[in-house]
């Protein structure tokens, strides 16, 4: 959502989609058929349903449960709510239109999924929603905001729509400036945020049309501090997202997609002072590896009035950097690729994943620059064939006046204005976006690469090993997800690369072996100490004390493992395939990486003069 207020304080295609009529009407929409099956997962750059068919997120944001209050006065007074649109702490419009009609109007738009924001405050808000707040839905009277949210989730999913839970804010205050909602741990502890996510994910576990957890909206700078991606402190968004995703999948719901937005803003927005909108740029060198594979989706937001280094502010807080709407078409496309969609369109890397543009939008009463930007934005989304979610789906209007951003907007008496009306210039662009097919149908499995980094904490991503407790007490532990194997290590930097290339789910039933002494039949690294897996086992991880080898983690193979071996050295330079497959999983450090038709079977190290026990060699064997 918008960040224009930041310095005010600082100074696949799914068959059966609804047919889009030429104009909004009261006619019954074409039903959204049961053409997809949850849960969802990922295959390379695509999201797929349980049958392996692409499920492209064609989403809208139905906001309100996270709050529309602007921060002072009575939160029920329209004057104290953004654009005078009072949500009453529940999804917007329930006071004006029956929920069944809202959902029918959503389906008429052609969406197949809904991003449903909530605040942490909503979870424990015991104050019942006022009768006026659900005036058009009297069956919701007396319920708390969370209970209304439950009913909304139930209704959306019963109608065939996928729901993505979105932790939008901490408080019910309207987002997004310096407002106490900047980070996951603004106005609350990280532990509270994590526990709330486990609670919410468990709450809807039985509903397989609740498909995703969008971990936090627009992580950004507060008054004094920037968020970061990988520093290991309490402002480290990459680490916090990793912890949240793992806890959700391990403790609450193993079937959810985990959506991780990039950093929306860093730096002080003043001319002459560094500031930036990093979005997903850092993912290329530091990506997440979740405890379950094929569950990670990255996300980013784009609005015409913001920019690569522009907050979107006007007046106080406005720098002289270009906004997205100021860029040429080619420059606009380049910056969106470089900061976001490269993650999806660069294949065969540790960071390759679907990208969801989970917010973009424009008002009906737009300037010529905004109109040109929106047309180009739609072109880009179609060309890149990425997932999207328009902001917002619902708004208020009287005589077609007021906040004109909503795709569907309702008057106090329930009168509808829609992006599909003949007089709405956005309609032609929306129709072609919804109609764009992109890749459809079955998606072939692709090989997966995942990076491990244990500089600040364990990277112990094996669910089996987590369940067994600490397999090397006091050491940093790196282990691959259970359906992958270790294929690369870094000499320093505590890095690793995992893959399922050539042999997915290689781990047979049976316990892992922790190797802490040498026991080899072939001297594949003469003069070095060699920790090698027993016959028939492959490396799934290793552990370090500092950068010194502590142990090798080995798992029994489900197929015979006795191929020819070779030694790769990383003591003086990189030893990786020329293809670049997997990507740079330990940026700035030397690495050894087996080929995709091999498995790692051991690590060699030495404490001789000039050597310090680091992984100097990797023993690779043919699958």
């Amino acid at each position: 959502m918008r960040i224009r207020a930041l310095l005010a304080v600082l100074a696949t295609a799914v068959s059966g989609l609804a047919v889009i009529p030429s104009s909004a009407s009261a006619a019954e929409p074409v039903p959204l058929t049961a053409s997809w099956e949850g849960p969802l997962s990922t295959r390379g750059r695509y999201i797929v349903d349980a049958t392996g068919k692409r499920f492209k997120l064609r989403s809208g944001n139905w906001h309100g449960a996270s709050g529309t209050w602007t921060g002072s006065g009575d939160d029920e007074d329209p004057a104290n709510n953004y654009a005078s649109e009072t949500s009453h702490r529940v999804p917007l419009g329930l006071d004006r239109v029956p929920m069944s009609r809202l959902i029918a109007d959503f389906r008429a738009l052609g969406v197949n999924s809904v991003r449903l924001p909530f605040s942490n405050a909503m979870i424990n808000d015991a104050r019942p929603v006022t009768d006026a707040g659900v005036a058009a839905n009297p069956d919701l009277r007396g319920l708390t905001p969370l209970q209304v949210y439950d009913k909304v989730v139930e209704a959306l999913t019963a109608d065939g729509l996928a729901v993505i839970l979105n932790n939008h804010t901490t408080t019910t205050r309207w987002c997004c400036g310096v407002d106490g909602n900047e980070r996951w741990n603004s106005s609350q502890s990280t532990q509270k945020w994590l526990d709330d996510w486990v609670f919410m994910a468990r709450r809807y576990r039985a509903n397989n049309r609740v498909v995703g957890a969008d971990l936090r909206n627009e992580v950004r700078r507060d008054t004094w501090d920037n968020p970061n991606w990988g520093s290991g402190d309490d402002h480290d968004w990459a680490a916090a997202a990793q912890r949240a995703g793992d806890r959700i999948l391990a403790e609450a719901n193993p079937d959810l997609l985990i959506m991780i937005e990039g950093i929306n803003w860093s730096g002080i927005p003043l001319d002459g002072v560094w500031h930036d909108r990093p979005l997903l740029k850092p993912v290329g060198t530091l990506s997440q590896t979740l405890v379950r594979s094929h569950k990670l989706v990255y996300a980013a937001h784009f609005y015409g009035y913001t920019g690569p280094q522009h907050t979107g502010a006007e007046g106080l807080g406005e720098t002289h950097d270009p906004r997205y709407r100021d860029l040429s078409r080619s420059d606009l496309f380049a910056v969106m690729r470089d900061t976001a969609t490269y993650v999806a369109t660069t294949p065969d890397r540790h960071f390759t994943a679907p990208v969801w543009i989970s917010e973009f939008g424009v008002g009906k009463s737009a300037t010529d620059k905004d109109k040109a930007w929106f047309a180009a934005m739609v072109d880009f989304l179609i060309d890149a064939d990425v997932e999207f979610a328009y902001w917002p789906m619902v708004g208020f209007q009287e005589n077609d006046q007021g906040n004109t951003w909503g795709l569907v907007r309702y008057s106090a008496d329930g009168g509808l204005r829609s992006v599909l009306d003949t007089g709405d210039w956005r309609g032609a662009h929306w129709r072609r976006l919804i109609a764009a097919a992109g890749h459809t149908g079955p998606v072939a499995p692709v090989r997966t690469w995942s990076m491990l980094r244990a500089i600040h904490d364990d990277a112990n991503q094996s669910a089996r090993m987590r369940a067994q407790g600490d397999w090397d007490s006091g050491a940093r532990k790196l282990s691959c997800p259970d359906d992958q194997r270790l294929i690369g290590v870094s000499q320093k930097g505590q890095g690793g690369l995992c893959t399922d290339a050539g042999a997915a789910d290689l781990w047979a039933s049976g316990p892992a072996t922790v190797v802490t002494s040498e026991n080899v039949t072939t001297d594949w690294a003469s003069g070095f100490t060699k920790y090698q897996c027993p016959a028939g086992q492959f490396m799934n991880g290793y552990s370090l004390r500092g950068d010194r080898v502590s142990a090798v983690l080995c798992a029994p193979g489900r197929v015979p493992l006795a191929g020819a071996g070779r030694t790769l050295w990383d003591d003086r330079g990189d030893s990786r395939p020329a293809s670049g497959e997997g990507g740079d999983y330990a940026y700035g450090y030397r690495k050894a990486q087996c080929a995709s038709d091999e498995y790692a079977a051991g690590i060699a190290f030495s404490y001789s003069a000039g050597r310090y026990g680091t992984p100097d060699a990797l023993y690779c064997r043919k699958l």
Side-chain angles (χ1 to χ4, degrees):
M1 213 174 2
R2 288 143 300 284
I3 196 170
R4 67 179 62 167
L6 184 57
L7 199 68
V9 175
L10 291 172
T12 259
V14 178
S15 61
L17 284 174
V19 174
I20 305 173
S22 59
S23 61
S25 71
E28 286 293 318
V30 176
L32 177 64
T33 59
S35 58
W36 66 281
E37 297 180 24
L40 302 183
S41 57
T42 67
R43 289 185 180 175
R45 62 157 298 174
Y46 298 117
I47 296 172
V48 297
D49 74 357
T51 70
K53 292 187 303 181
R54 187 186 184 186
F55 187 90
K56 182 176 181 178
L57 294 178
R58 292 179 167 88
S59 317
N61 283 272
W62 189 7
H63 75 294
S66 57
T68 52
W69 181 55
T70 53
S72 63
D74 181 2
D75 63 1
E76 291 289 312
D77 185 344
N80 300 324
N81 286 267
Y82 180 79
S84 297
E85 294 179 341
T86 307
S87 72
H88 308 281
R89 299 167 289 131
V90 296
L92 194 71
L94 294 176
D95 56 343
R96 297 188 171 203
V97 187
M99 191 168 0
S100 59
R101 184 181 160 196
L102 280 160
I103 295 174
D105 289 342
F106 296 167
R107 289 189 19 216
L109 295 170
V111 300
N112 62 11
S113 44
V114 174
R115 181 177 184 245
L116 197 62
F118 69 90
S119 70
N120 296 95
M122 182 201 78
I123 295 173
N124 298 308
D125 190 347
R127 181 168 50 126
V129 178
T130 62
D131 288 352
V134 290
N137 292 271
D139 56 312
L140 302 179
R141 288 179 179 170
L143 301 183
T144 66
L146 178 58
Q147 290 168 336
V148 173
Y149 193 92
D150 291 341
K151 295 291 187 181
V152 168
V153 170
E154 180 183 357
L156 288 169
T157 56
D159 216 59
L161 291 162
V163 169
I164 298 95
L165 312 175
N166 163 235
N167 178 225
H168 210 70
T169 54
T170 305
T171 70
T172 56
R173 185 173 174 180
W174 177 256
C175 178
C176 288
V178 181
D179 52 16
N181 295 306
E182 300 87 354
R183 296 190 307 275
W184 64 98
N185 54 2
S186 295
S187 308
Q188 66 182 353
S189 68
T190 296
Q191 190 63 47
K192 172 69 164 56
W193 176 71
L194 294 169
D195 291 345
D196 280 352
W197 256 124
V198 170
F199 171 84
M200 290 293 283
R202 281 178 179 161
R203 191 172 185 86
Y204 307 108
R205 179 170 179 167
N207 187 340
N208 69 2
R209 291 195 188 274
V210 176
V211 299
D214 182 355
L215 297 181
R216 188 70 179 188
N217 183 70
E218 294 193 2
V219 172
R220 57 197 183 275
R221 181 187 173 94
D222 60 16
T223 304
W224 302 111
D225 297 298
N226 289 318
N228 66 77
W229 192 273
S231 294
D233 59 16
D234 64 356
H235 295 166
D236 185 345
W237 172 228
Q242 175 78 50
R243 291 177 63 191
D246 283 342
R247 282 200 61 187
I248 289 167
L249 294 173
E251 301 176 33
N253 187 342
D255 291 329
L256 289 180
L257 295 175
I258 303 299
M259 279 81 167
I260 301 176
E261 293 183 29
I263 294 176
N264 193 264
W265 185 264
S266 288
I268 301 173
L270 288 173
D271 289 333
V273 178
W274 178 85
H275 47 268
D276 192 29
R277 192 181 300 279
L279 299 180
L280 300 178
K281 286 187 288 186
V283 174
T285 52
L286 178 57
S287 61
Q288 278 79 8
T289 295
L290 299 172
V291 72
R292 287 204 70 197
S293 301
H294 308 290
K295 291 297 180 182
L296 177 60
V297 176
Y298 286 106
H301 296 173
F302 292 103
Y303 289 102
Y305 63 84
T306 65
Q309 284 83 37
H310 200 300
T311 64
E314 296 178 358
L316 186 64
E318 182 175 7
T319 64
H320 290 86
D321 304 289
R323 302 172 191 260
Y324 290 117
R325 67 190 178 201
D326 298 325
L327 301 178
S328 69
R329 180 184 175 90
S330 60
D331 287 345
L332 175 66
F333 280 31
V335 76
M336 290 193 293
R337 282 194 301 267
D338 293 346
T339 60
T341 60
Y342 81 92
V343 172
T345 58
T346 308
D348 225 25
R349 297 294 186 266
H350 63 80
F351 56 79
T352 306
V355 170
W356 187 31
I357 307 304
S358 53
E359 285 188 25
F360 76 105
V362 71
K364 178 184 175 185
S365 54
T367 66
D368 289 343
K369 272 191 172 184
D370 282 319
K371 289 180 179 180
W373 167 81
F374 189 71
M377 184 75 203
V378 169
D379 289 343
F380 179 80
L381 292 172
I382 292 171
D383 290 350
D385 193 18
V386 293
E387 330 296 309
F388 61 84
Y390 183 92
W391 180 283
M393 197 151 55
V394 180
F396 290 170
Q397 59 87 24
E398 295 296 335
N399 298 316
D400 206 24
Q401 300 300 307
N403 181 10
T404 62
W405 280 60
L407 293 177
V408 288
R409 294 169 289 121
Y410 300 95
S411 62
D413 62 3
L416 172 65
R417 297 283 183 166
S418 170
V419 69
L420 305 177
D421 294 339
T422 54
D424 194 323
W425 66 270
R426 302 171 299 170
H429 300 302
W430 179 254
R431 288 187 182 89
R432 64 189 180 89
L433 177 59
I434 287 292
H439 182 90
T440 62
V443 176
V446 296
R447 57 188 187 177
T448 300
W449 309 88
S450 302
M451 71 170 286
L452 303 173
R453 191 177 81 159
I455 291 176
H456 303 300
D457 202 355
D458 283 351
N460 191 27
Q461 296 309 109
S462 164
R464 297 188 193 193
M465 298 312 297
R466 286 183 173 212
Q468 293 178 22
D470 193 339
W471 51 270
D472 191 2
S473 179
R476 283 274 192 260
K477 290 163 284 292
L478 301 88
S479 67
C480 297
D482 292 335
D483 61 346
Q484 298 184 38
R485 67 186 185 278
L486 191 72
I487 198 170
V489 299
S490 62
Q491 187 196 38
K492 296 182 180 180
Q494 303 173 25
L497 182 69
C498 309
T499 192
D500 59 7
D505 298 310
L506 187 58
W507 193 334
S509 59
T513 302
V514 179
V515 176
T516 58
S517 62
E518 181 170 313
N519 183 14
V520 299
T521 57
T522 300
D523 189 358
W524 48 268
S526 180
F528 287 72
T529 301
K530 296 167 283 292
Y531 286 0
Q532 182 177 337
C533 293
Q537 299 192 22
F538 65 95
M539 276 182 60
N540 189 57
Y542 72 116
S543 58
L544 299 160
R545 298 177 189 274
D547 283 317
R548 296 175 290 113
V549 174
S550 178
V552 163
L553 180 67
C554 306
R558 61 172 175 79
V559 297
L561 296 174
R566 66 186 180 119
T567 303
L568 297 179
W569 296 89
D570 63 3
D571 60 337
R572 293 181 177 84
D574 263 11
S575 181
R576 294 189 292 152
S579 65
E581 59 191 23
D584 191 341
Y585 56 91
Y587 184 76
Y589 299 100
R590 297 168 181 164
K591 292 165 285 288
Q593 179 181 329
C594 303
S596 59
D597 60 353
E598 297 177 318
Y599 66 95
I603 291 176
F605 58 95
S606 172
Y607 289 100
S608 63
R611 298 185 182 274
Y612 306 96
T614 59
D616 287 329
L618 186 66
Y619 188 45
C620 303
R621 304 190 72 175
K622 284 284 188 180
L623 283 167

